[in-house]
Amino acid sequence: MTPVEAQILEALSVYRFLTLEQMQRIGVARDRKHLGERLNALASHGLIGVLTWGVYPGLGRLPRMFHLKAKGAKALAGFLRVDEAEVPYVPGPPKFEMDHLHRRATVDCHIALNQWAERGGRKVHNFRAYYFAKPLRLRLPSGQGLSPDAVFDVTNADGQPVLTALEMCLDRRGTDRARILKQMEAHRAVMETGALADALGLQRGNRLLAAFESAASRDAIRQSLAADIKFSAFSNLFLFGLLKDLRQDFGNWHDLNGQCVAI
């Protein structure tokens, strides 16, 4: 196994799904052609899987996504000299058609979070995305269910862990804001009842990071929540950011009042 091939397998074990561009971003390899050749070689030997979608209206051809298979996890465990159970992989052939953009955005945030944390000496623990083997499903007293896109602990500037939920707010060009508002209300109920902490067996509350693809939708949702008295006690726990900014700096967040917040 070449060093680049080992790095590919390790990266897929961490992030579960990656495009070639995302692998370049995390430093798996600089040369796109060489990286593509190693990916094709690993796929041809059954160590990784490849997902394709073709052309998407308005966006052109969507990039391929790669994921680690059981054979690849076994090979990586042998290379790292660890137990196979320590190497997560994607079991079976993944089946999702409409989730490409949402999943890619979540992975983008996972990458940006890890890079931001490494630069600032922070630690990220127990990252758990909705496409991991055991996604978190919360049930509120109202009977409503909620599955955050991701949950994780990240240490703050004082070294204390902060329980955090993450949501991708891809608003379909401004046509999906009613659904996003409903989702925000569910997150408010989670904070109020401590549902996330209870599900994880913790004794601390959580905050929400909401990542938007457009400034117009971010501002519209933020203004709606800021005007709702039910959210007044949670203004510093609902933080908003733009995906294009977060990809460069995951520390770029604002609260319900539009104030920049250091996370």
Side-chain angles (χ1 to χ4, degrees), residues 209-227:
L209 304 181
F212 287 78
E213 61 182 342
S214 80
S217 289
R218 175 203 60 189
D219 294 344
I221 297 296
R222 187 172 62 195
Q223 290 167 10
S224 292
L225 299 187

Side-chain angles (χ1 to χ4, degrees), residues 51-69:
L51 301 170
T52 59
W53 288 267
V55 177
Y56 190 90
L59 295 175
R61 186 170 298 279
L62 296 178
R64 296 183 298 168
M65 272 186 181
F66 302 88
H67 63 90
L68 189 63
K69 300 174 75 172

Side-chain angles (χ1 to χ4, degrees), residues 129-239:
Y130 71 95
Y131 43 77
F132 279 27
K134 295 181 179 179
L136 188 64
R137 304 187 191 282
L138 305 176
R139 182 63 60 182
L140 302 176
S142 65
Q144 181 181 358
L146 178 67
S147 295
D149 286 335
V151 296
F152 55 91
D153 263 328
V154 58
T155 55
N156 62 17
D158 296 327
Q160 298 301 309
V162 181
L163 181 58
T164 306
L166 175 69
E167 287 290 354
M168 297 297 106
C169 299
L170 307 187
D171 61 353
R172 303 176 189 176
R173 300 181 180 179
T175 64
D176 210 20
R177 294 177 189 173
R179 180 193 62 81
I180 294 174
L181 284 171
K182 184 177 180 181
Q183 193 175 47
M184 295 298 102
E185 174 59 32
H187 276 285
R188 186 196 64 78
V190 165
M191 294 177 187
E192 193 169 61
T193 62
L196 180 55
D198 289 345
L200 298 174
L202 301 175
Q203 296 297 318
R204 45 197 166 86
N206 73 281
R207 65 185 174 189
L208 172 71
L209 304 181
F212 287 78
E213 61 182 342
S214 80
S217 289
R218 175 203 60 189
D219 294 344
I221 297 296
R222 187 172 62 195
Q223 290 167 10
S224 292
L225 299 187
D228 188 337
I229 192 171
K230 296 193 302 297
F231 284 83
S232 59
F234 303 92
S235 61
N236 63 333
L237 297 177
F238 279 79
L239 306 182

Side-chain angles (χ1 to χ4, degrees), residues 46-97:
L47 276 70
I48 65 174
V50 187
L51 301 170
T52 59
W53 288 267
V55 177
Y56 190 90
L59 295 175
R61 186 170 298 279
L62 296 178
R64 296 183 298 168
M65 272 186 181
F66 302 88
H67 63 90
L68 189 63
K69 300 174 75 172
K71 185 177 179 181
K74 182 176 182 180
L76 180 59
F79 180 82
L80 298 176
R81 298 182 181 180
V82 299
D83 190 276
E84 290 180 34
E86 297 180 38
V87 181
Y89 65 94
V90 177
K95 296 180 180 179
F96 60 95
E97 293 294 331

Side-chain angles (χ1 to χ4, degrees), residues 98-109:
M98 304 301 294
D99 190 45
H100 173 96
L101 298 176
H102 187 273
R103 193 167 302 208
R104 178 152 52 107
T106 308
V107 173
D108 277 345
C109 282

